[in-house]
């Protein structure tokens, strides 16, 4: 069927989805006839000219409509249509009154002034210089976003197009035309397959050089982000890339020779085998090894007599007696520039930290306490009575630049941290990139104390930092293994240690804080919903609901986060006329009162916090931060423990519901009550001892396991741990 062509002026916007940009509008055709036009029309506005190709359809409910397949838009030319366009809210910050002032002043030149002369706008009464530049930026951004979407034939969404523009600005279009694969992975979350579709729409050939080079970097990135590897063997990488892009291995191999390697990629030899690394990770591991050795070398040593005196004095003042391993940990912290303290729950790690804080203060050393996540640093503050920060806050994280989403730290090798001692809790969570940033900022002569539990899951990010440092055997390490009396009656602590040793807990034993409830797979979601909605509140009070966190092994499946979050949202925060809500995609609804989690680091988003009546401004929300939606209007406001963050609707792809979260996302956090579903249908690779151990040790006051006993025991038996290919251990042992 031959396609029809129309042209005219947009008269009225009937409907427009801010998520999908599906639009319904009335268009006055050049032949003076009004028709209804439907289709994906990003940023369509009243007063714009439109040329479109498509066909007429008949809707059962709405009658005859023109369905758009391809279209072009044009800014209005006449003063009247320019006024209608600007009055429609098409440009952020311009309403009907401001629009009339601009058009009265500049007439048909209004768009030229908006784009090229924002200072002129500031001459109009009621428009500040700041507001003028914000209006100009929004006008230009929307034009370029439209061009990006048009260039890709609609294969790049409006939200992603806006992110592309924000990162590269005016250069985005040219860069995208030259190499569509620059948007693959990273900040935009675009898979290689999706980037391929865009590239092929431009006529890119399967064996295009940019395609092969980008596939190599993409595959390396996946091995790092998914599996934690900091290097990959050359043969494995060639095989993976060949499968990814359906190109023969022989045509990929030449691009992994030194003279043709992608930018940011290097070849190294590991145990006589050629391997491939992303430079940023390889150089980070090299630097970590160098900095650790430097700290250990430069630290001022205290003599044993002084240490004995300080510890004895502390014991006498507080009326306590440190256990032998605790005392050894204190001594080793005072003797070494780098010290590692490990141990499971209830073994007295916090007691050691508190002792070290007192001793370091007594001898005139300033100490910084930090942890990888906000919840971990808050817990550290509560346990020690001293202020603790996230590592990002300690390093004074800043947005990476106007178009960059990468972090920059104000504390670095040019602006070192002032503290003499840096104590890092939950160190098993710290990946290569963050550890490197921290070590760069620690002054020579300062001490570094790493505290963690090596039996928990490794970091979500790349590398195996804590375990590699310990395995190098180059730095003093103490492992606490005695469970203290106050913890020995805890089912959480007792059973966590049993599980860690591969011993099955006695599920018939009565504890106040540890429960196992046998429930068939298909009934687990509704049973958990009942626990949260009625059973626990009826027994312990309504406040327990806000203190309960469901932690599950997987995202998918009957007991995955996707399914459980839907069930729990419907039971704990159902739809109500008094609660605004917004759709995100086809199946996700965000509602006022929802518990949500930030799912990626966003260093540039701003927040406000009121402390002692003073408003504090800051930026940065991080992967794993949990909050509650407070309001939904044109934007969505989320409260992260007092930090109020305002999201554009387009930024909600960084947020997910958090009634249920994965065990990996729970790392570094503790929750008063934890409910853990264990289903037979869970993928075998997730049914491991360290995963269930990590989940149970997230519980502060109560752990409830719901599901299948046999599967629970299989997890305890399965001590399989994924091996990560990392260089750090070798680099520490090597003389570099």
């Amino acid at each position: 069927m031959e396609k029809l062509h129309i042209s005219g002026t947009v008269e009225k916007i009937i409907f427009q989805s801010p998520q999908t940009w599906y639009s319904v509008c009335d268009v006055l055709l050049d032949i003076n006839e009004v028709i209804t036009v439907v289709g994906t029309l990003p940023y369509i506005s009243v007063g714009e000219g439109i040329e479109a190709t498509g066909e007429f359809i008949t809707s059962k409910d709405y009658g005859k409509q023109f369905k758009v397949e391809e279209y072009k838009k044009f800014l209005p030319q006449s003063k009247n249509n320019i006024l209608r366009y600007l009055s429609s809210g098409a440009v952020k910050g311009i309403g009907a009154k401001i629009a009339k002032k601009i058009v009265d002043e500049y007439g048909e030149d209004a768009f030229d002034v908006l784009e090229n002369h924002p200072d002129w706008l500031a001459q109009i009464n009621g428009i500040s210089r700041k507001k003028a530049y914000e209006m100009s930026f929004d006008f230009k951004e929307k034009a370029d976003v439209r061009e990006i979407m048009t260039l890709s034939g609609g294969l790049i969404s409006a939200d992603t197009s806006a992110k592309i523009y924000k990162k590269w600005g005016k250069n985005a279009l040219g860069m995208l035309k030259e190499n569509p694969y620059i948007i693959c992975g990273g900040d935009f979350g675009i898979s290689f397959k999706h980037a391929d579709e865009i590239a092929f729409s431009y006529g890119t050939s399967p064996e295009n050089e940019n395609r092969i080079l980008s596939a190599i970097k993409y595959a390396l990135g996946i091995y790092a982000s998914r599996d934690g590897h900091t290097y990959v063997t050359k043969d494995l990488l060639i095989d993976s890339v060949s499968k990814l892009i359906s190109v023969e291995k022989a045509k990929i191999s030449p691009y992994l020779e030194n003279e043709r390697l992608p930018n940011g990629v290097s070849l190294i030899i590991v145990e006589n085998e050629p391997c491939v690394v992303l430079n940023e990770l390889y150089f980070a591991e090299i630097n970590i090894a160098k900095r650790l050795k430097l700290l250990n070398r430069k630290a001022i040593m205290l003599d044993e007599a002084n240490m004995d005196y300080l510890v004895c004095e502390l014991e006498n003042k507080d009326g306590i007696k440190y256990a032998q391993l605790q005392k050894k940990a204190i001594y080793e912290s005072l003797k070494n520039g780098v010290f590692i303290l490990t141990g499971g729950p209830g073994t007295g790690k916090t007691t050691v930290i508190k002792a070290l804080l007192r001793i370091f203060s007594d001898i005139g050393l300033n100490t910084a306490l930090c942890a990888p996540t906000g919840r971990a640093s808050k817990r550290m503050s509560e346990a020690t009575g001293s202020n603790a920060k996230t590592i990002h806050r300690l390093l004074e994280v800043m947005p990476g630049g106007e178009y960059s989403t990468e972090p920059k730290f104000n504390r670095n090798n040019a602006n070192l941290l002032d503290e003499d001692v840096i104590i890092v809790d939950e160190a098993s969570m710290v990946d290569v990139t963050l550890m490197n940033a921290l070590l760069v900022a620690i002054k020579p002569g300062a001490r570094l104390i790493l505290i963690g539990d090596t039996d928990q899951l490794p970091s979500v990010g790349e590398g195996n930092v804590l375990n590699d440092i310990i395995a190098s055997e180059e730095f003093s390490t103490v492992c606490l293994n005695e469970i203290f009396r106050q913890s020995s009656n805890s089912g959480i602590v007792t059973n966590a240690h049993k599980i860690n040793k591969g011993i099955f807990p006695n599920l018939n034993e009565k504890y106040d804080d540890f429960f196992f409830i046998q429930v068939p797979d298909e009934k687990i979601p509704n049973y958990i919903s009942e626990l949260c909605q009625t059973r626990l509140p009826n027994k312990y009070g309504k406040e327990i609901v806000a203190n309960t966190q469901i932690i599950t092994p997987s995202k998918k499946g009957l007991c995955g986060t996707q399914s459980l979050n839907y069930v729990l949202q419907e039971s704990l925060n159902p739809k109500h006329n008094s609660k605004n809500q917004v759709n995100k995609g086809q199946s996700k609804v965000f509602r006022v009162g929802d518990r949500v989690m930030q799912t990626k680091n966003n260093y540039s988003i701003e927040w406000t916090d009121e402390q002692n009546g003073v408003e504090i401004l800051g930026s940065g929300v991080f992967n794993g931060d949990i909050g509650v939606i407070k309001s939904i209007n044109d934007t969505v406001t989320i409260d992260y423990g007092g930090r109020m963050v305002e999201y554009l609707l387009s930024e909600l792809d960084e947020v997910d519901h958090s009634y249920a979260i994965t065990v990996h996302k729970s790392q570094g956090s503790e929750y008063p009550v934890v409910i853990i579903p264990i289903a037979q249908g869970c993928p075998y690779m997730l049914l491991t001892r360290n995963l269930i151990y990590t989940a149970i040790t997230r519980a502060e006051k109560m752990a409830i396991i719901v599901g299948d006993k046999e599967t629970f025991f299989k997890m305890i038996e399965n001590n399989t741990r994924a091996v990560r290919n990392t260089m750090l251990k070798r680099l520490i042992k090597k003389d570099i």
Side-chain angles (χ1 to χ4, degrees):
M1 181 185 295
E2 186 178 352
K3 298 301 178 185
L4 301 175
H5 304 273
I6 64 163
S7 64
T9 304
V10 179
E11 290 291 300
K12 181 182 179 182
I13 305 295
I14 299 169
F15 170 79
Q16 186 170 68
S17 166
Q19 283 79 41
T20 65
W21 295 103
Y22 179 81
S23 306
V24 181
C25 56
D26 284 344
V27 173
L28 175 62
L29 300 180
D30 295 341
I31 58 174
N32 208 31
E33 176 188 348
V34 176
I35 64 169
T36 300
V37 171
V38 299
T40 302
L41 306 166
Y43 300 117
I44 195 80
S45 298
V46 169
E48 284 186 313
I50 183 172
E51 289 182 2
T53 302
E55 61 182 351
F56 280 103
I57 60 172
T58 301
S59 165
K60 181 181 177 181
D61 296 320
Y62 303 108
K64 187 177 180 182
Q65 298 175 327
F66 186 83
K67 185 179 179 182
V68 173
E69 293 184 7
E70 296 180 4
Y71 77 102
K72 293 180 180 179
K73 296 197 308 176
F74 307 94
L75 289 171
Q77 303 297 313
S78 68
K79 284 180 64 174
N80 182 53
N81 279 341
I82 291 172
L83 178 60
R84 292 173 66 208
Y85 174 85
L86 292 177
S87 300
S88 71
V91 179
K92 188 177 179 180
I94 300 181
K97 290 182 180 179
I98 294 293
K100 188 173 187 309
K101 289 181 180 181
I102 292 172
V103 175
D104 284 349
E105 183 71 25
Y106 297 112
E108 294 174 0
D109 294 324
F111 291 141
D112 178 59
V113 172
L114 258 173
E115 183 168 4
N116 300 309
H117 306 289
D119 281 329
W120 297 5
L121 292 174
Q123 297 173 15
I124 296 174
N125 185 35
I127 302 179
S128 66
R129 190 171 185 275
K130 180 184 177 184
K131 189 173 182 181
Y133 274 86
E134 286 174 350
M135 293 187 298
S136 177
F137 179 81
D138 189 67
F139 178 75
K140 289 184 286 187
E141 178 184 24
K142 284 173 179 169
D144 286 323
V145 167
R146 283 198 299 266
E147 280 195 67
I148 291 169
M149 294 184 70
T150 302
L151 176 68
S152 71
L155 291 170
I156 303 178
S157 70
D159 289 354
T160 302
S161 297
K163 289 179 182 179
I164 291 168
Y165 177 80
K166 284 175 181 175
K167 180 158 187 173
W168 290 305
K170 281 289 186 182
N171 298 324
L173 270 172
M175 293 171 69
L176 199 56
K177 287 177 183 176
E178 183 179 340
N179 181 9
Y181 295 98
I182 59 171
I183 61 173
C184 184
D187 304 323
F188 310 111
I190 288 181
S191 68
F192 194 87
K193 182 179 178 182
H194 190 175
D196 250 355
E197 291 176 10
I198 297 164
F200 290 153
S201 74
Y202 300 168
T204 301
S205 72
E207 295 175 14
N208 175 276
E209 181 175 345
N210 280 333
R211 183 171 187 254
I212 295 174
L213 292 173
S214 298
I216 290 169
K217 291 193 75 170
Y218 182 78
L220 280 171
I222 291 297
Y223 276 118
S225 61
R226 183 193 64 197
D227 303 321
H229 299 318
T230 59
Y231 73 85
V232 180
T233 63
K234 183 178 176 180
D235 287 346
L236 177 61
L237 184 62
I238 291 172
D239 186 59
S240 299
V241 172
S242 177
K243 290 175 181 175
L244 176 66
I245 63 177
S246 299
V247 171
E248 295 174 14
K249 296 179 186 179
K251 293 182 178 178
I252 296 166
S253 184
Y255 291 97
L256 286 170
E257 302 301 330
N258 279 316
E259 64 275 8
R260 298 187 71 180
L261 285 168
N263 288 334
V265 173
S266 295
L267 282 172
I268 61 171
I269 301 297
V270 181
E271 295 179 358
N272 299 319
E273 186 169 11
C275 297
V276 190
V277 295
L278 289 169
N279 289 349
E280 59 187 295
L281 299 182
Y282 183 52
F283 294 151
E285 287 192 301
I286 290 173
N287 197 53
I288 290 170
K290 286 181 177 178
R291 295 273 176 170
L292 287 172
K293 291 179 179 181
L294 178 66
L295 288 176
N296 215 33
R297 217 168 41 238
K298 293 284 187 179
I300 299 172
M301 304 300 172
L302 296 177
D303 62 55
E304 297 251 353
N306 278 341
M307 286 189 278
D308 284 336
Y309 171 76
L310 290 167
V311 171
C312 288
E313 190 171 273
L314 198 57
E315 287 180 324
N316 292 333
K317 279 182 181 178
D318 294 344
I320 62 171
K321 187 74 175 174
Y322 296 115
Q324 197 60 40
L325 280 176
Q326 287 180 318
K327 192 176 289 188
K328 182 181 179 183
I330 295 168
Y331 283 7
E332 292 299 311
S333 298
L334 298 173
K335 284 165 59 179
N336 295 280
V338 176
F339 171 68
I340 302 100
L341 176 64
T342 69
T347 56
K349 296 191 296 292
T350 300
T351 300
V352 173
I353 297 173
K354 290 165 76 172
L356 289 173
L357 288 171
R358 296 270 296 277
I359 290 172
F360 286 134
S361 176
D362 288 346
I363 61 177
L365 298 181
N366 295 322
T367 304
L369 297 177
C370 61
T373 68
R375 292 186 73 93
S377 63
K378 183 179 180 183
R379 193 179 78 246
M380 197 180 190
S381 294
E382 291 168 350
T384 62
S386 299
N387 183 43
K389 300 178 181 179
T390 64
I391 298 173
H392 286 86
R393 298 265 175 249
L394 179 67
L395 297 179
E396 299 173 13
V397 67
M398 304 180 296
E402 188 174 2
Y403 303 121
S404 174
T405 57
E406 293 301 313
K408 287 186 177 179
F409 296 108
N410 187 43
R411 293 294 185 166
N412 49 47
N413 56 355
N415 183 25
L416 298 172
L417 291 167
D418 299 320
E419 288 83 2
D420 306 297
V421 183
I422 312 295
I423 300 178
V424 183
D425 198 13
E426 296 288 355
S428 64
M429 287 185 64
V430 183
D431 61 31
V432 163
T433 305
L434 188 57
M435 181 59 78
N436 181 48
L438 176 63
L439 288 170
V440 162
I442 299 176
K443 64 186 180 183
R447 281 176 164 75
L448 174 67
I449 299 171
L450 301 175
I451 299 171
D453 185 344
T454 55
D455 293 309
Q456 291 183 23
L457 294 170
S459 61
V460 175
E462 63 284 329
N464 199 15
V465 176
L466 182 64
N467 282 287
D468 280 352
I469 293 172
I470 295 170
S472 74
E473 299 181 342
E474 295 290 321
F475 306 102
S476 177
T477 302
V478 171
C479 178
L480 302 179
N481 53 28
E482 179 184 350
I483 301 175
F484 288 93
R485 186 180 303 166
Q486 61 268 32
S487 299
S488 61
N489 295 325
S490 163
I492 295 171
V493 173
T494 300
N495 289 321
H497 282 274
K498 282 184 177 181
I499 288 167
N500 198 31
K501 295 173 183 176
I503 301 170
F504 298 154
N506 180 358
L507 300 183
N508 295 319
E509 195 164 347
K510 300 296 182 184
Y511 290 103
D512 293 332
D513 63 348
F514 183 91
F515 306 92
F516 184 93
I517 305 168
Q518 178 84 18
V519 177
D521 276 17
E522 67 276 8
K523 294 184 178 181
I524 292 175
N526 286 335
Y527 191 90
I528 289 176
S529 177
E530 287 177 23
L531 273 176
C532 295
Q533 192 175 14
T534 57
R535 292 174 184 245
L536 290 174
N538 287 347
K539 186 167 184 179
Y540 299 101
K542 291 181 180 180
E543 63 276 2
I544 198 170
V545 177
N547 293 322
T548 300
Q549 181 63 60
I550 289 81
I551 299 176
T552 184
S554 64
K555 292 181 181 179
K556 297 181 180 179
L558 186 68
C559 296
T561 55
Q562 294 172 359
S563 172
L564 287 173
N565 274 319
Y566 176 79
V567 171
L568 291 164
Q569 183 192 37
E570 290 304 301
S571 63
L572 298 178
N573 191 32
K575 184 177 181 180
H576 194 277
N577 291 337
S578 66
K579 297 177 182 178
N580 286 353
Q581 64 180 45
V582 62
N583 291 356
K584 188 65 179 175
Q586 296 182 339
S587 59
K588 191 174 293 184
V589 176
F590 288 111
R591 188 174 294 143
V592 170
D594 273 345
R595 288 179 63 177
V596 292
M597 172 183 278
Q598 178 77 12
T599 59
K600 62 184 291 187
N601 291 336
N602 185 327
Y603 303 96
S604 58
I605 197 165
E606 296 179 343
W607 51 262
T608 59
D609 190 2
E610 188 172 305
Q611 296 180 7
N612 301 321
V614 178
E615 186 176 71
I616 298 171
L617 304 178
S619 64
V621 183
F622 306 111
N623 188 355
D625 285 354
I626 287 180
V628 177
I629 296 178
K630 289 298 183 182
S631 66
I632 298 176
N633 296 296
D634 294 333
T635 58
V636 176
T637 302
I638 299 176
D639 179 2
Y640 291 103
R643 289 179 295 137
M644 307 300 289
V645 180
E646 192 173 345
Y647 289 80
L648 300 174
L649 298 182
S650 62
E651 293 174 318
L652 287 179
D653 58 354
E654 298 182 0
V655 175
D656 204 351
H657 294 103
S658 66
Y659 298 100
I661 63 175
T662 62
V663 180
H664 284 88
K665 288 290 187 184
S666 75
Q667 285 178 262
S669 299
E670 275 190 359
Y671 310 90
V673 180
V674 167
I675 300 174
I676 307 163
I678 297 178
Q680 296 180 59
C682 184
Y684 179 75
M685 69 185 71
L686 296 174
L687 299 178
T688 63
R689 184 187 300 173
N690 66 339
L691 188 137
I692 189 63
Y693 172 78
T694 302
I696 290 171
T697 54
R698 300 308 89 205
E700 196 176 5
K701 296 179 180 177
M702 188 186 301
I704 305 171
I705 302 173
V706 178
D708 181 62
K709 182 172 74 171
E710 293 306 314
T711 304
F712 177 47
F713 285 171
K714 284 179 182 176
M715 293 182 81
I716 297 169
E717 286 179 328
N718 182 12
N719 199 27
T720 304
R721 300 195 184 201
V723 176
R724 293 187 169 191
N725 294 336
T726 62
M727 289 296 298
L728 183 56
K729 174 185 169 182
R730 294 180 179 88
L731 291 166
I732 292 172
K733 294 181 80 69
K734 185 179 177 182
D735 187 18
I736 56 173

